[in-house]
Amino acid sequence: MAFQNLISEEDLMCPVCCDIFRDPVVLLCSHSICRTCLQQFWNIKGFQECPVCRERFTRSEPLNNLALRNLCDSLLHGRNQETTSSGAEMICAVHKESLKLFCLDDRRPVCLVCRDSEMHLNHKFRPVEEAVPLLKIQAQKTVRRIGEDFEKLHRFLQEEEMLRVSALREEEDQKSHITKEKIEIIDREIQSLSQKILNIQDGLATADMDFLQHPVFPQGPVTLDPNTANSLLVIADDLTSVKYSTNGIHHPDNPERFDNYYCVLGSEGFDSGIHSWDVEVEDNACWSVGVTTASNQRKGEDFFNAGVWRVRYMEGQYTSQSPLQARRPLAVKQRLNIIRTQLDFNRGCVLFSDAATNTILHTFTTTFNERIFPFLCSSCTIFPLKILPVKFSITVVDHS
């Protein structure tokens, strides 16, 4: 038949699967491949390359080859029709007539009866011999147009890339200039600070004799407030030691006095600054050392439930406790003799350490919103808790 003589099935076969094209796409190199075959080929390769000429592409999205797809669909449709052979011609399965025409609207061969049927009403037809060259020309034009469009897109992308690279370089130059200016400013500030440090050092050297003439002594030692002591506690006359006594002393039950716990507060509270004091616990069998808030309840059993930061020794175990931390064991290797409490009110820090070895026992961090008082607690009748006197020294350095 003329249709078979003008178009060979080999012209309509995919170079990858070697079968009639299914959903063909056209590449920039003008080769056509089944979409599925091309995607599988690219997945295996790991990059975009034409399976025929091996030309590589960058982020290329192939376009549909509509003309080739319609031609292949027509061929496949003809294969699926129930046909009968009559010499070398193809016969219409519906009307048993030769397929001499090509419907331009449906893109498939038809017979003369099909042309006049309702199915092809107002359709345009061409002889099969004329239709095949027209399809090839259309396919070539489509490929050429696609190539021109891709070339325009390529030029546009190149121009866009040049503009963006130029903008990035300009931005880089601006940032580099700003950074250089900032570095120069920092260098000047460093030089200024270095000069100030030298001036301060010279001033300190000059002020050594002034310090010796007008020494600065540390703040006064912590003393105890007898009006807060539990009635079973005995306070020394110098207000620096406390001991538990089973006999007890009759005291008026004033509001600030502890009635349930064997505790006593310091006579002075702190609402700013840094303060430190040492408490000798020696062989006292049960004690607590720490600080508490001014508003903490001293009556009843709620004193240690809120507003207390302390370390405690009881039944051979050292523990720490705060409003946000339940009692927790402390890792203490040997028996403690002197407990140092350091309070930094402004930074919200309470630090407990072994004064004999300068070993930190525990550190609490918080925010203080009211006055803070030192407190001691003891239920030992043999060894009192003693607040040790403040020790300080002055070291004279010969700068000559």
Side-chain angles (χ1 to χ4, degrees), residues 281 284-289 311-313 318 336 339 377-378 385:
V281 296
N284 192 301
C286 183
W287 53 262
S288 288
V289 174
V311 292
R312 184 183 82 158
Y313 178 75
Y318 295 94
L336 299 176
I339 306 299
C377 187
S378 174
L385 299 180

Side-chain angles (χ1 to χ4, degrees), residues 316-336:
Q317 185 181 39
Y318 295 94
T319 58
S320 62
Q321 181 184 359
S322 76
L324 299 179
Q325 174 197 304
R327 282 199 302 271
R328 182 181 300 174
L330 292 175
V332 178
K333 296 181 179 180
Q334 59 186 12
R335 185 73 177 263
L336 299 176

Side-chain angles (χ1 to χ4, degrees), residues 270-295:
F270 309 114
D271 55 9
S272 64
I274 300 174
H275 310 272
S276 176
W277 59 93
D278 293 346
V279 178
E280 184 181 58
V281 296
E282 201 170 348
D283 291 327
N284 192 301
C286 183
W287 53 262
S288 288
V289 174
V291 297
T292 184
T293 58
S295 63

Side-chain angles (χ1 to χ4, degrees), residues 120-387:
H120 295 278
L121 184 64
N122 296 327
H123 287 189
K124 294 180 180 181
F125 302 90
R126 291 289 186 276
V128 170
E129 294 81 358
E130 297 179 10
V132 173
L134 289 176
L135 292 174
K136 288 187 175 181
I137 293 173
Q138 181 181 357
Q140 292 173 357
K141 289 182 178 180
T142 301
V143 171
R144 186 165 55 252
R145 187 175 66 253
I146 292 172
E148 293 173 353
D149 291 342
F150 269 101
E151 182 63 27
K152 291 180 182 179
L153 178 62
H154 183 64
R155 287 197 299 270
F156 170 77
L157 292 176
Q158 282 183 328
E159 294 174 357
E160 187 70 16
E161 181 182 11
M162 292 177 62
L163 290 174
R164 294 196 178 190
V165 170
S166 177
L168 285 174
R169 287 177 178 172
E170 183 178 355
E171 182 181 358
E172 181 182 4
D173 292 340
Q174 292 177 352
K175 289 183 177 180
S176 177
H177 179 70
I178 293 174
T179 302
K180 184 178 178 180
E181 290 182 345
K182 289 184 177 180
I183 291 175
E184 292 176 353
I185 293 173
I186 292 173
D187 288 340
R188 289 195 295 269
E189 291 179 351
I190 290 175
Q191 292 177 1
S192 176
L193 289 174
S194 299
Q195 186 60 45
K196 289 180 180 179
I197 291 173
L198 291 175
N199 295 337
I200 292 173
Q201 290 176 342
D202 293 340
L204 289 175
T206 306
D208 282 344
M209 291 307 298
D210 291 340
F211 174 77
L212 291 176
Q213 294 175 3
H214 304 282
V216 179
F217 294 95
Q219 296 180 359
V222 172
T223 58
L224 301 177
D225 182 1
N227 291 327
T228 64
N230 184 282
S231 58
L232 293 180
L233 294 180
V234 178
I235 309 297
D237 292 339
D238 61 0
L239 305 180
T240 60
S241 68
V242 58
K243 183 173 68 172
Y244 174 79
S245 173
T246 55
N247 297 327
I249 300 176
H250 178 70
H251 293 295
D253 188 18
N254 47 304
E256 62 268 28
R257 188 178 305 283
F258 287 91
D259 64 351
N260 187 67
Y261 292 106
Y262 308 127
C263 296
V264 60
L265 297 184
S267 59
E268 181 183 1
F270 309 114
D271 55 9
S272 64
I274 300 174
H275 310 272
S276 176
W277 59 93
D278 293 346
V279 178
E280 184 181 58
V281 296
E282 201 170 348
D283 291 327
N284 192 301
C286 183
W287 53 262
S288 288
V289 174
V291 297
T292 184
T293 58
S295 63
N296 196 5
Q297 292 295 323
R298 303 168 199 174
K299 303 295 185 182
E301 300 181 357
D302 293 332
F303 176 70
F304 287 115
N305 294 332
V308 167
W309 295 262
R310 66 165 174 166
V311 292
R312 184 183 82 158
Y313 178 75
M314 183 177 182
E315 296 179 352
Q317 185 181 39
Y318 295 94
T319 58
S320 62
Q321 181 184 359
S322 76
L324 299 179
Q325 174 197 304
R327 282 199 302 271
R328 182 181 300 174
L330 292 175
V332 178
K333 296 181 179 180
Q334 59 186 12
R335 185 73 177 263
L336 299 176
N337 187 39
I338 300 175
I339 306 299
R340 175 166 296 161
T341 304
Q342 292 174 277
L343 169 67
D344 188 336
F345 187 95
N346 301 92
R347 293 177 57 192
C349 177
V350 182
L351 184 147
F352 296 97
S353 61
D354 179 359
T357 62
N358 287 325
T359 302
I360 296 177
L361 301 175
H362 197 80
T363 302
F364 295 106
T365 56
T366 184
T367 300
F368 297 121
N369 298 315
E370 57 179 303
R371 184 177 292 271
I372 298 298
F373 284 85
F375 83 89
L376 304 180
C377 187
S378 174
S379 60
C380 177
T381 59
I382 302 176
F383 298 98
L385 299 180
K386 297 180 181 179
I387 300 175

